[in-house]
Amino acid sequence: MLVRMFGVMYSNIDDCDEVYNFWEPLHFLDRGSGFQTWETSPVYAIRSWAYILLHLPPVRLAAALLGTEKRPAFFAVRMFVSAFCVLAEASFYKVVADKINERVGRYLFFMLLFSAGMWNASAAFLPSSFAMYMSMFAFSFALDRPSYGNSRRTLLATVSFATGAVVGWPFALALAIPFVLEELFLFGADRVTPEVYLSWLFKRWSRLFTAGLCASLVFIPVIGIDSLAYGRLTIVPWNIVQYNIFGGAERGPNLYGTSPWSYYFLNLILNFNILVPLSVLALPALLVTYFVDNKRLGIFKPSVYESSPFTLLAIRLLPFYIWLGILTSQAHKEERFMFPAYPLLCFNAAVALYLIRGWQEALFIKITNSPYRASQSFLFARFTLSVLVATSMISFSRIMALWHYYHAPMTTVWAFETKELPRLLNATGLIPTYLGTRDDETPRIDLSSVKHFDLKLCVAKEWHRFPGSYLVPDGVAIEFVKSEFNGLLPGHFRNAPAQVNSSLWLRPGTSHVPDAQNDLNREEPSRYADVNSCDYLIDLDFPLHPRESPLEPRYAVDTKAWDRVFCRSFIDVKHSRLLTRAFWVPGEAWQKSNEFGDYCLLRNKGLVNKKEIDIKGRVIQGEI
């Protein structure tokens, strides 16, 4: 739990889809404003309001306990999803230790705990993260051997898989394929003779069918909530499948970029390092174990009426291969798509490590002809410990790299809220100045007076790294400025009248069909504000290797128009070595291979100065 809470506080938001398709709609439900993408338009409806609504209770709880500021609500949601992830991980670990092997469970525990991949995915507000949580719960039931009398396993595993797919991401249902095959065809814990085979088969099939019918009830609240939100009958899981698979030549996910087949392998190496080859070797390792250490899994030669433990374990290793194969075959690739299989990667790696240790023990016994000496040797424990320590250290290095090199966007909006806005209020007399007072003794600053300034915070080419409205105080408008990007940017939600009369839904504006939205990624000029109307601007500048164009001037060096309020270093990927930018190691020898830019909050000199003078005068005259 402690590690996951550190992730809540310090992990980045790595995907703009998380911000604009989930944080912003939640902000609209909560605050009545936010950015709206085409995906949440009732015309397309490929984002589920049911999933978003699940995250509203922690927002309201934070408001009840800590006041109406938005930043606590942001971290409350992260704490909520991370705590849910911890429950799923604990359940998964316990069942692996109990049903597979205690050592495999221990290896899995440390792989889940310290991997950079789980650090990123656990606190993410994404349907793929939710599908990951539910897949862990599902496998917590599915890892038990199927049997004639174990209906609970079938029902709970099926409902968990279905919940992850219907509430979260429908494609995650592919992870259930081996479970379905096992449930229908493998004997598991049963001993099935030819005389009872047909009745056994009928029982298994009918049981799975019944469990599927029960699991389909998950659709009822999801369809009900989404239909209320969109103002029409809406089945979001089907819309997602339809758009991504049957969208046609002109639309579909490939509009947003394609990647080579190697993308996921390289990305997984970054997040899981040496666990990746171990996870891929799990099935081959099982095959080798069958021949060289055939007692490792217990009974080696079951009768024709029983399932081999090797067959059962192979079925449990298959989901990761299936998921990796499906995603690798798709042209459009994103890191978040792999989230549902992250725990399974760790499980496969833990099994492979256990089997490889078994080979070493078998070889040692063969050489020394002494099982007793093998049991007393620390050689094998040191081998597995060295693997776990190595992967944990490499993952820690990756996590630190994400913090040091890529955390500037979140730090910048923090500085805007905690440094610049209080300065603005101090300068105009709206709040007192606490001279000589330590930070921890300074009273909490009420930023509600910021509304008098009618401030506008703009983002240009850094729109895809903007961390969301929850990290910008109320009273500050957020707009985009035109850059070289020529795709479709989000618009703003409107508090428009509902398309159908309903008092059951929080924000009728979700059913309003916005203007100028399309699913072809065609640019919409109405999305942009004039940069000269922006009071503040977030921009990235690379002084060592300047890059500019008519649409992307170097605002940060235009000292006539802009003041640098706050700047934080941000990695220059193009001019840094792959290894040193991917991982962090202290010391100048490592860091000298990296180059950095300035990620800055800029202040419009003319506009903000004019507003400061105006507000200060109104304060003196008693108008404010």
Side-chain angles (χ1 to χ4, degrees):
M1 179 67 81
L2 184 61
V3 171
R4 294 292 172 252
M5 290 304 107
F6 273 112
V8 166
M9 300 304 298
Y10 301 113
S11 63
N12 302 333
I13 296 180
D14 297 321
D15 194 323
C16 62
D17 192 76
E18 179 180 354
V19 172
Y20 295 114
N21 278 320
F22 303 103
W23 281 111
E24 291 299 302
L26 180 65
H27 189 271
F28 178 66
L29 285 185
D30 179 34
R31 301 281 174 153
S33 64
F35 285 108
Q36 181 179 25
T37 64
W38 66 269
E39 290 102 316
T40 53
S41 166
V43 176
Y44 309 106
I46 65 170
R47 301 300 177 199
S48 173
W49 286 100
Y51 168 71
I52 295 166
L53 189 64
L54 285 175
H55 302 79
L56 189 60
V59 169
R60 295 295 166 83
L61 180 62
L65 296 177
L66 301 172
T68 59
E69 292 182 14
K70 294 193 291 184
R71 184 172 288 270
F74 172 83
F75 288 105
V77 171
R78 282 190 144 195
M79 291 176 67
F80 170 72
V81 298
S82 294
F84 194 70
C85 183
V86 168
L87 292 176
E89 289 177 282
S91 178
F92 186 42
Y93 153 74
K94 186 177 186 305
V95 171
V96 169
D98 291 345
K99 302 297 182 180
I100 302 300
N101 182 271
E102 187 177 351
R103 283 181 178 172
V104 174
R106 285 202 301 268
Y107 304 157
L108 175 68
F109 174 82
F110 289 104
M111 291 173 180
L112 289 173
L113 184 63
F114 294 116
S115 70
M118 291 299 295
W119 169 273
N120 294 331
S122 61
F125 181 12
L126 286 167
S128 51
S129 285
F130 181 81
M132 179 185 77
Y133 312 149
M134 295 312 301
S135 72
M136 283 191 280
F137 281 121
F139 281 99
S140 298
F141 303 113
L143 290 180
D144 195 4
R145 291 187 300 168
S147 65
Y148 191 83
N150 193 356
S151 299
R152 178 179 178 274
R153 168 192 183 269
T154 307
L155 176 62
L156 295 180
T158 304
V159 170
S160 298
F161 279 124
T163 303
V166 175
V167 179
W169 197 30
F171 300 111
L173 203 59
L175 293 172
I177 293 173
F179 162 75
V180 171
L181 296 176
E182 179 184 18
E183 182 67 25
L184 294 179
F185 299 110
L186 294 186
F187 297 152
D190 295 332
R191 191 175 188 276
V192 184
T193 61
E195 295 79 19
V196 300
Y197 178 74
L198 289 180
S199 63
W200 172 87
L201 193 65
F202 176 79
K203 167 72 173 179
R204 284 288 192 89
W205 282 65
S206 61
R207 186 171 71 185
L208 184 62
F209 180 75
T210 302
L213 287 179
C214 293
S216 66
L217 296 176
V218 176
F219 274 106
I220 295 176
V222 172
I223 293 175
I225 292 171
D226 288 335
S227 297
L228 273 176
Y230 285 117
R232 62 186 75 178
L233 178 63
T234 304
I235 306 175
V236 170
W238 165 246
N239 292 347
I240 294 173
V241 172
Q242 185 181 44
Y243 176 79
N244 285 279
I245 297 179
F246 308 111
E250 293 185 351
R251 43 183 53 84
N254 292 357
L255 285 173
Y256 304 95
T258 59
S259 302
W261 69 269
S262 59
Y263 173 87
Y264 285 119
F265 289 96
L266 296 176
N267 185 265
L268 289 174
I269 289 291
L270 279 177
N271 287 318
F272 292 94
N273 50 80
I274 59 178
L275 300 187
V276 178
L278 279 174
S279 67
V280 174
L281 287 172
L283 270 180
L286 184 63
L287 181 62
V288 172
T289 300
Y290 181 85
F291 292 104
V292 304
D293 190 19
N294 53 37
K295 296 182 180 179
R296 175 63 45 178
L297 303 184
I299 301 174
F300 171 53
K301 289 186 178 180
S303 69
V304 293
Y305 311 128
E306 299 171 298
S307 294
S308 165
F310 284 88
T311 303
L312 293 176
L313 184 54
I315 282 289
R316 286 150 173 72
L317 297 174
L318 275 178
F320 174 69
Y321 293 96
I322 292 173
W323 192 255
L324 182 61
I326 291 173
L327 293 194
T328 300
S329 67
Q330 305 303 306
H332 179 63
K333 299 176 176 68
E334 295 186 38
E335 179 178 337
R336 61 190 167 92
F337 295 167
M338 279 300 302
F339 285 3
Y342 276 2
L344 303 179
L345 182 154
C346 294
F347 172 68
N348 278 33
V351 169
L353 184 60
Y354 171 71
L355 296 177
I356 292 171
R357 173 172 173 161
W359 304 346
Q360 296 175 338
E361 292 176 354
L363 180 62
F364 187 89
I365 291 172
K366 186 173 182 179
I367 294 173
T368 63
N369 196 28
S370 173
Y372 174 77
R373 288 178 62 186
S375 68
Q376 296 299 308
S377 175
F378 289 101
L379 174 65
F380 317 116
R382 286 170 181 162
F383 163 72
T384 52
L385 178 63
S386 65
V387 172
L388 294 175
V389 169
T391 186
S392 299
M393 293 300 293
I394 297 171
S395 284
F396 179 75
S397 176
R398 174 60 180 168
I399 291 168
M400 293 302 292
L402 293 174
W403 164 259
H404 282 285
Y405 303 157
Y406 298 98
H407 199 71
M410 298 185 76
T411 307
T412 301
V413 292
W414 164 252
F416 178 60
E417 179 177 350
T418 61
K419 302 296 183 183
E420 175 59 14
L421 292 183
R423 183 208 66 80
L424 200 61
L425 297 177
N426 281 330
T428 53
L430 289 171
I431 60 172
T433 301
Y434 298 95
L435 297 176
T437 305
R438 294 195 323 227
D439 288 344
D440 59 348
E441 295 178 352
T442 302
R444 194 171 180 177
I445 296 175
D446 180 8
L447 296 177
S448 59
S449 298
V450 166
K451 63 186 178 184
H452 298 298
F453 290 85
D454 193 24
L455 296 176
K456 186 185 294 183
L457 173 67
C458 296
V459 287
K461 63 178 180 289
E462 288 301 298
W463 64 270
H464 59 290
R465 294 193 182 100
F466 176 64
S469 297
Y470 267 110
L471 299 180
V472 177
D474 283 326
V476 180
I478 306 164
E479 298 291 349
F480 297 120
V481 170
K482 174 62 181 168
S483 64
E484 294 291 346
F485 178 73
N486 60 2
L488 179 67
L489 288 176
H492 289 282
F493 278 105
R494 289 178 54 190
N495 283 298
Q499 299 299 301
V500 295
N501 291 324
S502 175
S503 59
L504 300 177
W505 186 242
L506 296 168
R507 299 287 178 184
T510 59
S511 63
H512 172 73
V513 178
D515 297 328
Q517 293 280 23
N518 66 81
D519 63 346
L520 299 174
N521 201 25
R522 284 199 301 255
E523 186 175 25
E524 174 51 49
S526 64
R527 298 287 188 265
Y528 304 116
D530 182 353
V531 68
N532 295 314
S533 70
C534 300
D535 299 288
Y536 294 92
L537 178 69
I538 294 175
D539 198 36
L540 176 61
D541 185 67
F542 294 103
L544 297 179
H545 303 279
R547 309 163 197 171
E548 63 180 322
S549 69
L551 292 177
E552 294 183 359
R554 296 182 65 198
Y555 298 109
V557 297
D558 183 5
T559 55
K560 292 183 178 180
W562 301 94
D563 280 327
R564 290 190 176 208
V565 176
F566 176 87
C567 291
R568 180 57 62 92
S569 61
F570 192 90
I571 193 78
D572 186 345
V573 173
K574 291 185 178 180
H575 298 93
S576 300
R577 291 184 179 177
L578 175 61
L579 185 63
T580 56
R581 75 170 188 256
F583 300 97
W584 178 86
V585 175
E588 185 179 349
W590 185 272
Q591 296 303 327
K592 70 180 182 181
S593 298
N594 290 332
E595 293 190 8
F596 295 87
D598 297 325
Y599 202 97
C600 294
L601 172 68
L602 307 175
R603 179 174 56 230
N604 188 315
K605 286 185 174 181
L607 278 182
V608 176
N609 185 57
K610 182 179 178 181
K611 289 184 177 182
E612 284 189 40
I613 295 172
D614 177 62
I615 296 298
K616 189 172 184 177
R618 292 171 62 190
V619 169
I620 293 173
Q621 294 174 11
E623 297 178 9
I624 299 178

